[in-house]
Amino acid sequence: MALVTVSEILQRAEEGKYAVGAFNCNNMEIVQAIIGAAEAEKSPVIIQASQGAIKYAGLDWITGMAKLAAQQAGVPVALHLDHGTSFEQCMQCIKAGFTSVMFDGSKLPLEENIAETNRVLAVARAVGVSVEAELGKIGGTEDDITVSEREAMLTDPQEAKEFVERTGVDSLAVAIGTAHGQYKGEPKLDFERLKEIKSLVNVPIVLHGSSGVPDEAIKKAISLGVRKVNIDTNIREAFTNTMRRVINEKPGEIDPRKILGPAREAAMEIIREKIRVFGSSGRA
Ligand code: G3H
Ligand code: 13P
Ligand code: ZN
């Protein structure tokens, strides 16, 4: 199959009231782990690449690997830019063949975020690419913040309503208490806020920083309207910890395949587990 858009995948998720995993990739083994997991679970899947991943692997390599993966797969696959912070980056990905982009204007003042999101949307609409935007600030787990600072970062429901009305964006990433990276304690999600946002906007909601969020909290967020769940850190942990274990166990091993192969397996296992939690198994 050719790559499909994230909108197509999320529209079906909305109808079926489940969520689809968006998994970050950096290299061939992780792309294969994502596709292998989606095929084993008969689930639609979103492969996403950050600006850092694109810089590391190269835009054409990421696009080429995802296109090949989709062609060979028997499940719907989308290729999405994660946290694109400029109009130019979004355009480069659209030109290369991404079927979805995130314009992350969360660091911009509201009016600028709306204006830049609309600039990306105008082009994306013309060529059939979907667009995700972010409102509120999803920080990193390393950020040391006070309770009131945290509150100020969370998505304001009325602002979300205005944002969606003035952009017509396809999906919205919200800040409800999750953060990127490894959590120190258990993250506390603001479900009341999520409920209110969902009552005011009629687009699929995206949850970032989902690694390390307990399964029950993820399921509750899905029951309240989350349709795309972003996972990176849990894949990094599975992949890198496995490489480290193999190297420690066999210090003389020099065959990369003997180190990367088990890492790919471990990444695939964790992705399968996530897909089951999100409820998208058997939905391809
Ligand atoms: O949201 C951030 C993702 O985990 C990507 O991280 O920018 O280090 O590739 P990265
Ligand atoms: P984690 O690394 O915390 O899973 O977050 C991933 C993410 O939100 C990518 O956009
Ligand atoms: Zn994110």
Side-chain angles (χ1 to χ4, degrees):
M1 267 195 263
L3 287 165
V4 300
T5 63
V6 167
S7 292
E8 272 173 72
I9 288 180
L10 297 189
Q11 200 177 324
R12 291 190 57 199
E14 189 66 53
E15 285 157 20
K17 305 279 175 250
Y18 58 88
V20 176
F23 301 102
N24 286 75
C25 71
N26 297 292
N27 61 14
M28 180 192 78
E29 282 78 8
I30 295 177
V31 172
Q32 290 174 336
I34 297 168
I35 278 298
E39 293 238 73
E41 292 297 329
K42 298 186 172 36
S43 168
V45 76
I46 299 161
I47 299 176
Q48 61 185 11
S50 68
Q51 294 177 157
I54 289 169
K55 197 168 169 202
Y56 171 76
L59 182 57
D60 291 340
W61 283 85
I62 296 273
T63 316
M65 288 190 290
K67 279 187 178 166
L68 181 65
Q71 252 168 39
Q72 293 184 348
V75 299
V77 182
L79 176 60
H80 175 77
L81 167 65
D82 187 33
H83 294 284
T85 52
S86 69
F87 174 80
E88 289 74 17
Q89 179 72 73
C90 293
M91 294 307 111
Q92 284 159 13
C93 288
I94 290 174
K95 184 169 180 241
F98 279 48
T99 53
S100 178
V101 293
M102 173 186 192
F103 174 70
D104 177 357
S106 60
K107 290 196 172 71
L108 302 174
L110 179 65
E111 287 301 322
E112 269 179 62
N113 190 356
I114 291 174
E116 283 302 286
T117 301
N118 276 331
R119 208 147 76 94
V120 173
L121 266 163
V123 179
R125 285 278 177 271
V127 293
V129 165
S130 22
V131 178
E132 173 183 330
E134 177 172 328
L135 194 63
K137 291 189 182 68
I138 305 156
T141 48
E142 70 284 356
D143 299 346
D144 239 339
I145 51 167
T146 63
V147 174
S148 60
E149 280 167 344
R150 170 187 136 106
E151 194 68 17
M153 287 167 69
L154 300 183
T155 306
D156 179 278
Q158 285 300 334
E159 231 171 64
K161 180 177 188 288
E162 183 187 345
F163 188 92
V164 171
E165 281 172 0
R166 291 178 59 194
T167 57
V169 77
D170 299 301
S171 61
L172 187 68
V174 296
I176 56 162
T178 57
H180 295 107
Q182 289 176 312
Y183 291 99
K184 287 172 202 132
E186 194 170 296
K188 294 271 171 293
L189 273 59
D190 190 339
F191 293 114
E192 281 310 311
R193 187 180 296 267
L194 175 58
K195 210 182 281 178
E196 201 183 338
I197 294 169
K198 190 58 201 174
S199 74
L200 295 168
V201 306
N202 63 352
V203 295
I205 303 292
V206 182
L207 192 67
H208 284 245
S210 308
S211 295
V213 178
D215 292 351
E216 287 317 307
I218 293 281
K219 285 182 184 167
K220 184 157 183 194
I222 294 170
S223 78
L224 295 174
V226 164
R227 297 288 168 251
K228 173 174 178 278
V229 182
N230 287 11
I231 298 281
D232 187 2
T233 299
N234 281 155
I235 301 173
R236 294 179 179 196
E237 288 167 346
F239 196 83
T240 310
N241 289 341
T242 303
M243 290 201 305
R244 194 174 285 118
R245 178 178 57 74
V246 175
I247 290 168
N248 283 339
E249 282 170 9
K250 300 178 195 158
E253 184 57 71
I254 59 150
D255 184 342
R257 295 166 299 188
K258 302 271 170 55
I259 300 162
L260 293 170
R264 178 174 59 189
E265 282 296 312
M268 184 167 128
E269 252 338 287
I270 187 71
I271 295 167
R272 286 192 68 173
E273 280 172 32
K274 296 292 172 188
I275 288 174
R276 290 197 283 266
V277 171
F278 305 160
S280 66
S281 297
R283 305 285 192 157

